Amino acid sequence: MTVLVIAEHNNQALNPATLHAVSAAAKLGDVHVLVAGENAQSVAEQAAKVVGVGKVLLAEAPHYAEGLAEELAPLVVSLASDYRHIGATATAFGKNLMPRVAALLDCSQISDLTEIIDDKTFVRPIYAGNAFVTVSSDEPKLALTFRAAAFEAASAEDNHAVIENVSTMPAQNLSRFVSRELTQSDRPELTQARVIVSGGRALGSAEQFNALLTPLADALGAAIGASRAAVDAEYAPNDYQVGQTGKVVAPELYIAVGLSGAIQHIAGMQDSKVVVAINKDPDAPIFNVADFALVGDLFSIVPELTAALKN
Amino acid sequence: MKALVAVKRVVDYNVKVRVKTDGSDVNIGNVKMSMNPFDEIAVEEAVRLKEAGKVTEIVAVSLGEKKCEDTLRTALAMGADRAVHVETDAVLEPLAVAKLLKAVAKKEQPQLLLLGKQAIDDDANQTAQMLAALLNTPQGTFASKVELEGGEVLVTREIDGGLETVALKLPAVISADLRLNEPRFVKLPNLMQAKKKPLEKLSPEGLGVNIEARLNAQRYAEPKQRQAGEKVANVAELVEKLRAVKAI
């Protein structure tokens, strides 16, 4: 059985998030990757190198340049007859696009799935990760979004899949791209980072958030995350948020600084390998999931930790 | 213009849900139920658009058991003008919900359809996108800003790397993210007034929508429990332990 994976990219580079969907989809069968964009030949070439990819479908048109769901969904539907499963990584891109595809195909979607039992049975989290449900479907087609943190990234370096140009669909012109404001950062991308330093409300201000966490993250080569409270208080931009409604991460090391550990936050980081919590409140729920707990004042502990790591 | 807002009754966000010991379901008997937090934000946005003179009428819709009436009354108390309840005891999957909302939208002909980006019980994040697909309208998902301007709606969306803005032709479907607004508290007099506002009852059969379940939930399981680890006395000990487990 062949699976169609929709590639996420910016017309120049394949987003590493897609590598997780490829490795997940490879458990279901041969993987074809759709690259829809404008002047996206180089993305198709990158996709062709990903292990597990049997074929790359390249669709190029100006109206595919910005990844608008209104434009991409009819294209995916036009290719759907060859596939039983169509999927993408459960990023903002995948979450936006796949349900539109599913509805046009009149099929169900299994969102944010964490485990593939067989070609019709999947496990996914519900209630902010407080329960996992095993769902099956006998429908002839299924839309899937894969949780990146639950599947290894496929190797991007060791394959030579064929690239085939496919027909495009006429522009729908229901929506128009206006602008994009990306957070500038030299740090590793949050969902791909090996180490994450995450801050909460106790940091007190945006200045202190940056002054304390940036050097620590630099010392560790880490990405910076935040709790919802920290984001709402504007200590950090929205796209730093880890949790049920932000990003779900599973790094090797997660250092939670001055965040209490609400259900909704734990939902986004509980699969991290090693969790360190630094908090002055010994009863903070974050300590229930931390491997190493340090109770004390973060304003003295964090600089001390940064200094110790530099040595 | 008319706005339609879809609201869902869910287990309150503060409740920690447990799986039944036999794995047949989650245990939500006798727990506090509330309006899905993302839907509250959608209602608030509709009310603000009405207060700004952009929207003339707000219709709140909820689908499900009888008690969804409570959720609709909350929406009415927040400022919705009238409510539509599609009553059914069946389990509704997002595709079925989208089809029911489409049927209601065909009757009501709203220009703006506002939903939450996801329900905090099933965490599906599908309904708004499916509804937009079925209506063949544009979608502005994960919205943190909504502006009606010259026959279009400008939606600023929360994406992984930051924000993006799209312009959508009307009618359009918008799904609210947490940052869109801060929902108002419902005051008692408003709750009393809400009891007098019209609440129409419809049924899936009456709307001619097939809501038969397609997915089979085979079993439910608790997540792997992380154990609380050990307390360390100071930074030096922490660094030593992290080196020992090769985390740094």
Side-chain angles (χ1 to χ4, degrees):
Chain A
M1 217 149 350
T2 314
V3 186
L4 182 64
V5 167
I6 320 301
E8 184 170 346
H9 64 88
N10 59 3
N11 296 306
Q12 279 133 40
L14 184 68
N15 188 318
T18 302
L19 302 175
H20 298 268
V22 170
S23 74
K27 294 178 197 289
L28 291 162
D30 193 19
V31 180
H32 291 181
V33 171
L34 170 65
V35 175
E38 186 182 27
N39 302 323
Q41 179 70 33
S42 68
V43 178
E45 284 162 14
Q46 291 162 47
K49 288 187 186 154
V50 178
V51 172
V53 175
K55 187 157 69 172
V56 176
L57 310 178
L58 177 60
E60 294 192 278
H63 52 278
Y64 298 145
E66 304 298 345
L68 295 171
E70 294 84 349
E71 302 296 349
L72 295 186
L75 174 69
V76 176
V77 170
S78 75
L79 299 165
S81 58
D82 295 341
Y83 306 95
R84 166 137 189 246
H85 302 96
I86 301 174
T89 306
T91 57
F93 170 82
K95 289 174 182 178
N96 184 46
L97 173 63
M98 289 311 302
R100 192 167 179 110
V101 171
L104 293 177
L105 293 170
D106 194 32
C107 72
S108 300
Q109 172 171 313
I110 317 285
S111 291
D112 217 7
L113 69 92
T114 54
E115 201 183 328
I116 296 165
I117 308 279
D118 59 38
D119 63 1
K120 57 174 196 173
T121 316
F122 306 90
V123 179
R124 62 175 304 264
I126 52 175
Y127 291 97
N130 281 306
F132 281 76
V133 62
T134 304
V135 286
S136 68
S137 170
D138 290 319
E139 291 167 77
K141 263 191 212 316
L142 280 175
L144 307 171
T145 60
F146 305 100
R147 174 172 285 197
F151 299 94
E152 297 282 323
S155 163
E157 290 296 332
D158 203 14
N159 192 20
H160 300 280
V162 291
I163 300 172
E164 185 182 305
N165 285 288
V166 296
S167 316
T168 57
M169 298 290 281
Q172 304 292 307
N173 294 321
L174 292 166
S175 60
R176 183 166 58 81
F177 173 80
V178 178
S179 63
R180 195 168 287 141
E181 245 180 274
L182 298 179
T183 307
Q184 296 301 324
S185 171
D186 301 330
R187 298 187 180 288
E189 207 274 309
L190 197 52
T191 57
Q192 306 291 330
R194 204 191 74 86
V195 180
I196 294 173
V197 174
S198 203
R201 183 161 33 199
L203 282 147
S205 71
E207 291 71 32
Q208 286 171 331
F209 188 96
N210 289 320
L212 284 163
L213 297 193
T214 306
L216 177 59
D218 286 343
L220 289 161
I224 298 181
S227 69
R228 183 185 166 197
V231 168
D232 281 352
E234 294 181 3
Y235 301 173
N238 302 341
D239 55 301
Y240 280 33
Q241 188 180 325
V242 171
Q244 181 186 19
T245 66
K247 290 187 178 128
V248 178
V249 298
E252 297 284 315
L253 174 60
Y254 189 90
I255 304 182
V257 178
L259 58 82
S260 65
I263 299 173
Q264 292 81 4
H265 186 79
I266 304 278
M269 48 64 75
Q270 61 190 352
D271 291 327
S272 303
K273 209 153 178 199
V274 175
V275 175
V276 171
I278 300 167
N279 202 308
K280 70 175 179 201
D281 174 10
D283 297 323
I286 190 70
F287 286 129
N288 299 332
V289 299
D291 298 285
F292 302 111
L294 187 45
V295 180
D297 180 14
L298 66 92
F299 293 101
S300 60
I301 289 172
V302 173
E304 204 186 318
L305 178 59
T306 306
L309 290 168
K310 279 184 180 160
N311 290 330
Chain B
M1 72 176 70
K2 190 193 276 190
L4 187 136
V5 191
V7 295
K8 184 176 183 182
R9 183 174 185 265
V10 297
V11 172
D12 188 84
Y13 74 99
N14 274 317
V15 175
K16 188 166 159 63
V17 166
R18 298 256 175 220
V19 173
K20 287 184 179 167
T21 45
D22 64 358
S24 63
D25 205 345
V26 289
N27 203 346
I28 55 167
N30 299 320
V31 303
K32 187 182 175 204
M33 304 292 282
S34 304
M35 186 189 294
N36 180 42
F38 291 94
D39 303 348
E40 265 187 294
I41 294 168
V43 174
E44 175 68 31
E45 194 65 17
V47 174
R48 289 186 189 190
L49 288 167
K50 192 180 173 196
E51 286 167 348
K54 308 264 187 186
V55 161
T56 47
E57 189 188 24
I58 302 168
V59 182
V61 187
S62 194
L63 322 169
E65 57 178 332
K66 179 140 192 4
K67 285 184 173 163
C68 291
E69 279 177 22
D70 301 346
T71 313
L72 286 168
R73 291 290 172 204
T74 306
L76 293 168
M78 287 176 74
D81 296 290
R82 55 190 179 85
V84 174
H85 180 198
V86 182
E87 194 171 336
T88 171
D89 287 330
V91 174
L92 294 173
E93 293 165 1
L95 186 58
V97 171
K99 289 178 178 178
L100 289 168
L101 291 174
K102 178 192 173 183
V104 174
K106 288 285 173 200
K107 281 165 63 97
E108 298 284 349
Q109 296 289 322
Q111 288 293 293
L112 217 50
L113 298 99
L114 289 153
L115 295 85
K117 81 161 178 181
Q118 76 191 62
I120 59 165
D121 52 1
D122 67 13
D123 281 334
N125 195 334
Q126 297 175 12
T127 305
Q129 296 88 315
M130 289 179 159
L131 176 60
L134 298 177
L135 290 169
N136 193 33
T137 62
Q139 62 190 49
T141 51
F142 328 146
S144 60
K145 196 172 170 196
V146 173
E147 289 170 294
L148 283 159
E149 218 176 80
E152 278 185 331
V153 57
L154 285 173
V155 178
T156 301
R157 307 180 52 232
E158 300 210 1
I159 58 170
D160 291 333
L163 297 169
E164 89 176 15
T165 303
V166 288
L168 314 178
K169 283 188 181 162
L170 296 172
V173 175
I174 293 167
S175 78
D177 212 317
L178 288 173
R179 244 76 56 182
L180 184 56
N181 60 49
E182 187 105 8
R184 67 196 61 194
F185 286 105
V186 171
K187 296 189 194 104
L188 190 61
N190 296 9
L191 210 52
M192 301 305 287
Q193 278 168 10
K195 289 189 176 157
K196 293 179 196 138
K197 291 186 179 176
L199 193 154
E200 183 186 358
K201 291 269 181 186
L202 299 172
S203 70
E205 301 74 36
L207 289 166
V209 176
N210 179 0
I211 56 164
E212 205 178 326
R214 308 241 194 130
L215 299 173
N216 169 22
Q218 295 180 332
R219 68 192 165 81
Y220 294 79
E222 293 271 346
K224 275 176 280 168
Q225 292 296 325
R226 282 194 84 95
Q227 298 300 320
E230 51 184 314
K231 249 188 193 138
V232 293
N234 52 46
V235 166
E237 193 189 339
L238 174 62
V239 171
E240 189 187 311
K241 299 268 186 191
L242 288 176
R243 291 220 164 99
V245 298
K246 297 196 160 54
I248 54 172

